[in-house]
Amino acid sequence: MPSAAAPSDSRRPDSLSPGSLPSGSWWRRAAIYQLYVRSFADGNGDGIGDLAGARAHLGHLAALGIDAIWFNPWYPSPMADAGYDISDYRSIEPVFGTLAEADALITEAHELGIKIIIDVVPNHSSDRHPWFAAALAAGPGSAERSRFWFRPGRGINGSLPPNNWQSIFGGPAWTRVTEADGSPGEWYLHLFAPEQPDYNWGSPDVRREFEDVLRFWFSRGVDGIRIDSAALLSKDAALPDVSGSELPGPAHPFTDRDDVHSIYQAWRAIADEYSADEYGGRMLIGEVWLPDTARLARYVGPGELHTVFNFPYLNCPWDADALRQVIDETLALADAPATWVLSNHDVDRVASRYGRSDTAFSLDRRAYFHAFPVDVPLGTRRARAAALLTMALPGSVYIYQGEELGLWEVQDIPDELRQDPIWARTLGADPGRDGCRVPLPWSGTEPPFGFSPAGTTAEPWLPQPKEWRDLTVSAESAHADSMLSLYREALRIRRSDPAFADTPLTWRHAPAGVLAFDRDAGGGQDTDGSPADRTWLDTTGPDPVLRCVANLSPAPVGLPANASVLLASGPLDDGLLLPDTTVWLRIG
Ligand code: NOJ
Ligand code: CA
């Protein structure tokens, strides 16, 4: 397909007109599309996605019915970690485009009623950032080095790293530099790749710099900031060894330390400064992976971040009890609107995860999960059911590009084409994240499936499976039962139906393996005000409600006799809800 949006994509349906979310708190129930620029659409034919491609397909996103786009890092970067190594926080990577194009994109998205969230990476820099170059040049003890974590080594001639910390991407978290006179010198800390030196957030320069970066983008009209690795910024300046048994929190030398919160309190004050301008409220969302929900809750609230990603939901197996527990724990975080995330650019795609016999996920066990055979039709059926379950929950929902097409994890990328540093740094022990980053299929029957303009000879930066000819935007647009049609319809209803407007969730009793809950404007209470105690078949409540029933059990279950079906993730068999199927019902 040419990079221009198809005419049918380019008009936003009336029901999706701008301003249908309250502007001051649009993030509370927004549907947010995660756009991974490199893999979304290539406008100039070099095989790499870019801002021109994103602009050309804004109409597709408007027609999908999303409220906001989160862009993964779009800044100048040597791309040692796909843009999470930033060498200039106030510009655009030339491979992706220009700052003028970003400005135009922000304006065009706003005209379509779409908010823009960008990624800010404050834990680490790029080894090509001018500050790091200055630190290398200035030498030990300099003010320039104090913006990072430089330390002498241990052992004879300082030949051992300053402590035993390991990089999250594999190998030691320290790299030794060569000083200006050619001698082996200090070591610097990098919790990720060596090309990603960690900032020292004890440095006032670092704090000032990022506050200025926030203002730079907010004043260009950006509506939200996704904060990368948000729990890692503060380090114990004594840099003690880790034993491995420390839990995230004050006793941990680099994860979830208490003083990280002062950074986000300052950032919230900045976001609030912009809330009264013509664009409405600005939001901060933290990438915070923490097992303890009480610790997670400390990041959100009136004086701090607006929301955090819900990773327990993403990691959860396709199991009714486990999902119910995560949902309840999420909704109990009273100060924060819930976020619901099924996938992102770091994790296996949902259609593959749910097609394995172990349907959970965890970043540190990717190789284990990849060893399972994948039943794609089963995983896809469950991904459809999960989409309707997820979109029925109160809060905001994140949709990672390609999820709406039902793309699967590409696990058979040839080794020589893999790009993720995780693959290289673990010597292939961890397959890495390339499989969820394969360029999107837009149209046609052969790769690059319209990802690049017609006639392009450059190959997409990762190879696309030929079977994706059935999963292109064009192919799926033509079928009412495609994943894309399901997402479009679910988002349309979620956006326009009053049952979804800030209404609470009330569970209904249901058989084992079945999740059933109501969303209703009456607050989910019985007339006497006590919490309702009805079953998933009960239709006697006082108010009309939207009921979501998800069948994760192996047997069909009945449905209320006098309910109308708003949307179902799969065929209903003579009034029965089949296994791995979710339905939205109107009751009353
Ligand atoms: C989390 C990001 O989502 C991931 O892609 C990146 O590699 C690390 N943070 C380091 O920035
Ligand atoms: Ca390009």
Side-chain angles (χ1 to χ4, degrees):
M1 177 163 111
S3 58
S8 60
D9 277 351
S10 60
R11 256 200 50 236
R12 192 174 182 83
D14 289 345
S15 61
L16 309 183
S17 59
S20 62
L21 291 180
S23 70
S25 56
W26 56 270
W27 56 85
R28 296 191 68 86
R29 60 186 169 95
I32 299 159
Y33 187 86
Q34 183 191 345
L35 194 153
Y36 194 77
V37 191
R38 256 187 125 62
S39 303
F40 183 72
D42 169 22
N44 69 350
D46 64 358
I48 300 174
D50 47 41
L51 297 191
R55 287 172 68 191
H57 290 89
L58 283 177
H60 163 70
L61 298 180
L64 180 58
I66 51 106
D67 302 295
I69 303 171
W70 153 31
F71 279 86
N72 288 96
W74 57 11
Y75 317 94
S77 165
M79 298 288 164
D81 182 22
Y84 283 93
D85 49 320
I86 299 171
S87 54
D88 179 357
Y89 287 76
R90 295 179 185 77
S91 188
I92 296 291
E93 162 61 34
V95 170
F96 295 158
T98 63
L99 193 55
E101 283 180 281
D103 286 339
L105 188 153
I106 293 167
T107 303
E108 289 158 5
H110 284 168
E111 282 165 7
L112 290 166
I114 295 174
K115 308 275 188 189
I116 298 291
I117 300 169
I118 60 165
D119 220 312
V120 165
V121 185
N123 178 69
H124 44 269
S125 185
S126 158
D127 62 346
R128 309 281 177 77
H129 189 288
W131 277 16
F132 194 73
L136 289 181
S142 60
E144 288 84 349
R145 285 204 177 178
S146 72
R147 295 165 172 162
F148 301 93
W149 293 101
F150 279 89
R151 289 290 185 277
R154 294 196 288 200
I156 299 165
N157 299 324
S159 60
L160 297 174
N163 68 24
N164 70 352
W165 298 4
Q166 294 296 298
S167 157
I168 293 162
F169 286 172
W174 295 91
T175 291
R176 193 169 197 183
V177 303
T178 302
E179 302 297 356
D181 64 2
S183 62
E186 291 191 315
W187 298 70
Y188 68 89
L189 175 69
H190 51 86
L191 288 181
F192 294 93
E195 296 87 352
Q196 295 168 294
D198 278 46
Y199 284 111
N200 170 12
W201 274 87
S203 157
D205 284 0
V206 172
R207 290 196 177 230
R208 263 196 308 272
E209 170 69 358
F210 275 91
E211 291 175 14
D212 193 63
V213 165
L214 255 52
R215 290 199 165 89
F216 178 87
W217 290 104
F218 279 148
S219 59
R220 302 191 98 81
V222 159
D223 304 281
I225 304 278
R226 179 261 188 192
I227 305 164
D228 186 70
S229 305
L232 301 181
L233 274 53
S234 164
K235 275 94 183 174
D236 180 344
L239 301 172
D241 279 347
V242 285
S243 69
S245 60
E246 299 89 350
L247 290 175
H252 197 286
F254 58 82
T255 306
D256 188 34
R257 296 174 58 76
D258 285 342
D259 54 357
V260 78
H261 295 285
S262 69
I263 300 167
Y264 303 130
Q265 285 153 9
W267 287 20
R268 175 61 179 262
I270 292 170
D272 287 349
E273 283 169 21
Y274 290 85
S275 291
D277 73 8
E278 73 270 29
Y279 301 117
R282 310 305 171 89
M283 66 86 103
L284 302 169
I285 173 151
E287 189 214 12
V288 187
W289 297 80
L290 288 179
D292 177 347
T293 47
R295 295 289 307 178
L296 187 62
R298 292 160 52 101
Y299 287 77
V300 289
E304 217 165 315
L305 306 183
H306 299 83
T307 56
V308 287
F309 285 109
N310 190 345
F311 294 119
Y313 188 72
L314 183 157
N315 285 339
C316 191
W318 183 240
D319 173 87
D321 291 342
L323 280 165
R324 165 121 190 210
Q325 187 177 340
V326 174
I327 293 167
D328 283 339
E329 285 174 6
T330 305
L331 295 176
L333 282 181
D335 274 337
T339 64
W340 306 105
V341 186
L342 282 172
S343 61
N344 66 31
H345 66 294
D346 291 328
V347 307
D348 282 12
R349 284 202 175 270
V350 66
S352 294
R353 292 202 322 258
Y354 291 160
R356 299 174 180 144
S357 53
D358 184 340
T359 52
F361 187 73
S362 126
L363 283 177
D364 50 10
R365 292 198 302 152
R366 204 183 273 105
Y368 157 81
F369 290 110
H370 279 222
F372 287 97
V374 177
D375 180 338
V376 173
L378 175 67
T380 303
R381 195 158 63 243
R382 290 175 171 169
R384 294 174 64 92
L388 289 201
L389 171 66
T390 304
M391 287 193 256
L393 294 167
S396 59
V397 59
Y398 282 77
I399 298 163
Y400 173 50
Q401 68 179 39
E403 193 181 304
E404 81 281 17
L405 301 175
L407 301 187
W408 60 78
E409 184 77 10
V410 185
Q411 293 185 197
D412 57 356
I413 296 173
D415 290 354
E416 65 279 11
L417 297 182
R418 288 182 188 271
Q419 312 268 336
D420 188 354
I422 290 183
W423 158 260
R425 286 185 60 79
T426 62
L427 304 176
D430 184 328
R433 303 161 292 183
D434 291 321
C436 67
R437 299 176 176 181
V438 173
L440 289 193
W442 290 91
S443 61
T445 54
E446 303 282 340
F449 298 121
F451 171 70
S452 295
T456 298
T457 50
E459 309 239 317
W461 71 281
L462 286 172
Q464 300 159 305
K466 61 180 181 340
E467 296 83 1
W468 283 8
R469 62 179 165 257
D470 298 327
L471 301 181
T472 65
V473 171
S474 295
E476 294 204 25
S477 296
H479 291 288
D481 58 359
S482 68
M483 187 74 91
L484 181 58
S485 297
L486 181 76
Y487 267 77
R488 282 184 176 152
E489 188 57 7
L491 286 165
R492 188 191 65 75
I493 296 172
R494 184 181 181 279
R495 198 180 168 92
S496 56
D497 195 302
F500 286 109
D502 274 338
T503 53
L505 170 155
T506 306
W507 290 107
R508 296 294 170 214
H509 292 298
V514 176
L515 293 172
F517 59 84
D518 288 350
R519 302 282 308 274
D520 79 289
Q525 309 281 307
D526 278 334
T527 38
D528 65 358
S530 62
D533 192 24
R534 300 193 295 272
T535 77
W536 88 107
L537 293 175
D538 194 325
T539 56
T540 59
D543 304 303
V545 297
L546 183 137
R547 182 165 300 165
C548 175
V549 188
N551 184 6
L552 287 76
S553 81
V557 291
L559 288 172
N562 51 348
S564 49
V565 174
L566 287 181
L567 191 59
S569 69
L572 300 176
D573 183 12
D574 201 17
L576 292 177
L577 186 64
L578 298 177
D580 298 316
T581 309
T582 299
V583 66
W584 290 358
L585 303 169
R586 166 86 59 220
I587 312 268

